[in-house]
Amino acid sequence: PGTGKTYMAKKMAEELTNSRDDYKIIQFHPSYTYEDFVRGISAESNNGEVIYETKNKVFAEFAEKASKNLIDSKKKAEVFSKEEAIRKVIDLYTDDFVESDKPHYQLSGTRLVDIHDGKFIYKIKKGGDHKFSISIDEVTIGLLNNVSDYDSVKELNISQSTKSKYRSFMNICDAIYKEYENKIEGIRNNLGVGAIESPERRNFVLIIDEINRANLPSVLGELIYGLEYRGEPVESMYALEGEREIIIPENLYIIGTMNTADRSVGHIDYAIRRRFAFEDVLPNSSVIALPEAQALFNEVEKLFKKEGTKENAEFLASDFDYKDVQLGHSYFMAKNVKELEMKLKYEIKPILREYVKDGLLLE
């Protein structure tokens, strides 16, 4: 405890990534679940009607973001610039839809009613009030490949769910194409002129603070396999858009921090240990600038470790190792003696008393 694990994890993330947007920090706790971390069903109210919808949570969302960058970075500039142009056309369509008071009608009874969360939401003639959705990314793929019939849809790299809704999928693509045909054709006719460069491959880092405070096998689920076999799809318990697959890409890194002094939390089982490299983060007195704080650190250290050795002190219970429970340097990081006195009274002494009460330190 108090050795700057989270601080170090953030520094590592900053070294690995290009931007603050490319790393995220979350904290596990005993009630954290798979449905909080990976994917689960959320209940939302819409005009008095409760709608249950499967949604990606923090990990699956972050993995998707990393995967998109990895895929885009491997594309040729010409292909990437073409995709970006199509996306701008779809953005234009979306803006026009939002500003319009009337619903947009497509062919064959497909009626677009909303656009949000990266999806086209629509109804069909025979579906009553039931709403369906198709992702904007998949419509982009459809426009890029000039979908015209079921066979052309079947060949696309899109979900089975969307392929099964191919009529509505083609209708939405067709509506956007017809509305902005001149722009799209202009883009296609000028490919290679001022092409946008494909993005560089970026690293993404997810920091899980207090990783051992949750029931890890339960929270991670099938990701235990995915962590080792990067780029291979693993099946989630929940289907999203008819697909259960989740992929952990090779450019997504996970850093976990854990407090070895806390025996009230579960251990990390061997299957999960195999997926991680472990590094002890021990107290480091050299970062303590204040001489009085340095002296106090040395005194407290004697409760855990024999001076000048790497052996447990006689004050420490025999079933503990000083490396797991000794107070870290952050407890002693003070600007002046007054601040150090406050830390001693309200942070250091209370945790040492807890150690005595819990049997870590002997009376």
Side-chain angles (χ1 to χ4, degrees), residues 1 259-263 280 282-283 301 303-306 309-313 315-327 355 359-361:
N259 187 338
T260 51
D262 194 345
R263 291 202 300 175
D280 289 332
L282 301 175
E301 185 178 47
L303 296 173
F304 300 93
K305 176 183 162 190
K306 286 181 182 176
T309 72
K310 291 185 179 180
E311 296 176 14
N312 284 359
F315 306 105
L316 190 63
S318 59
D319 52 340
F320 290 93
D321 189 310
Y322 77 89
K323 288 191 293 186
D324 290 337
V325 295
Q326 182 184 338
L327 296 196
Y355 274 9
L360 279 78
L361 288 174

Side-chain angles (χ1 to χ4, degrees), residues 60-120:
E61 280 184 349
F62 212 51
E64 214 169 64
K65 187 178 176 183
S67 287
K68 185 178 185 311
N69 169 259
L70 190 63
I71 292 165
D72 285 347
S73 68
K74 294 176 180 177
K75 290 174 182 172
K76 291 180 179 176
E78 185 179 302
V79 173
F80 184 74
S81 64
K82 183 178 178 182
E83 287 184 6
E84 283 299 292
I86 294 293
R87 286 191 186 99
K88 284 176 184 174
V89 167
I90 290 175
D91 286 343
L92 190 60
Y93 183 83
T94 302
D95 291 342
D96 288 349
F97 175 84
V98 171
E99 290 171 10
S100 170
D101 292 331
K102 296 178 180 178
H104 284 215
Y105 287 84
Q106 277 86 44
L107 306 172
S108 307
T110 303
R111 181 163 62 92
L112 192 63
V113 294
D114 202 0
I115 302 173
H116 67 79
D117 291 340
K119 296 173 188 172
F120 289 104

Side-chain angles (χ1 to χ4, degrees), residues 35-203:
E35 287 76 11
D36 297 318
F37 184 57
V38 185
R39 183 181 284 178
I41 296 172
S42 299
E44 292 183 2
S45 178
N46 186 6
N47 296 325
E49 179 187 2
V50 178
I51 297 171
Y52 294 94
E53 190 177 7
T54 302
K55 287 195 171 182
N56 278 336
K57 298 305 172 71
V58 59
F59 183 85
E61 280 184 349
F62 212 51
E64 214 169 64
K65 187 178 176 183
S67 287
K68 185 178 185 311
N69 169 259
L70 190 63
I71 292 165
D72 285 347
S73 68
K74 294 176 180 177
K75 290 174 182 172
K76 291 180 179 176
E78 185 179 302
V79 173
F80 184 74
S81 64
K82 183 178 178 182
E83 287 184 6
E84 283 299 292
I86 294 293
R87 286 191 186 99
K88 284 176 184 174
V89 167
I90 290 175
D91 286 343
L92 190 60
Y93 183 83
T94 302
D95 291 342
D96 288 349
F97 175 84
V98 171
E99 290 171 10
S100 170
D101 292 331
K102 296 178 180 178
H104 284 215
Y105 287 84
Q106 277 86 44
L107 306 172
S108 307
T110 303
R111 181 163 62 92
L112 192 63
V113 294
D114 202 0
I115 302 173
H116 67 79
D117 291 340
K119 296 173 188 172
F120 289 104
I121 314 298
Y122 65 94
K123 291 181 179 179
I124 56 174
K125 212 179 255 181
K126 296 178 181 178
D129 284 333
H130 188 74
K131 293 176 183 175
F132 303 87
S133 67
I134 288 174
S135 79
I136 289 175
D137 284 343
E138 290 185 317
V139 172
T140 303
I141 293 169
L143 285 166
L144 283 165
N145 289 276
N146 302 321
V147 290
S148 57
D149 53 30
Y150 175 66
D151 287 336
S152 62
V153 173
K154 202 167 58 173
E155 298 302 316
L156 297 180
N157 183 23
I158 57 176
S159 67
Q160 282 301 129
S161 171
T162 299
K163 286 179 182 179
S164 69
K165 298 181 281 194
Y166 71 95
R167 288 189 189 280
S168 294
F169 175 66
M170 287 191 301
N171 290 339
I172 292 171
C173 291
D174 191 58
I176 295 172
Y177 183 84
K178 283 185 174 176
E179 195 148 344
Y180 301 103
E181 185 173 358
N182 292 335
K183 292 182 186 296
I184 293 175
E185 286 306 312
I187 291 161
R188 288 177 177 165
N189 291 335
N190 291 290
L191 280 176
V193 179
I196 304 166
E197 287 298 317
S198 300
E200 288 184 9
R201 170 181 159 154
R202 307 200 311 271
N203 292 326

Side-chain angles (χ1 to χ4, degrees), residues 302-349:
K302 291 174 188 175
L303 296 173
F304 300 93
K305 176 183 162 190
K306 286 181 182 176
E307 195 171 3
T309 72
K310 291 185 179 180
E311 296 176 14
N312 284 359
E314 61 269 26
F315 306 105
L316 190 63
S318 59
D319 52 340
F320 290 93
D321 189 310
Y322 77 89
K323 288 191 293 186
D324 290 337
V325 295
Q326 182 184 338
L327 296 196
H329 47 266
S330 67
Y331 285 94
F332 305 87
M333 303 281 277
K335 295 186 183 79
N336 51 54
V337 173
K338 181 69 176 174
E339 186 182 347
L340 182 64
E341 287 172 354
M342 296 283 280
K343 281 179 169 282
L344 178 61
K345 183 176 180 180
Y346 295 110
E347 295 180 33
I348 299 169
K349 283 185 177 180

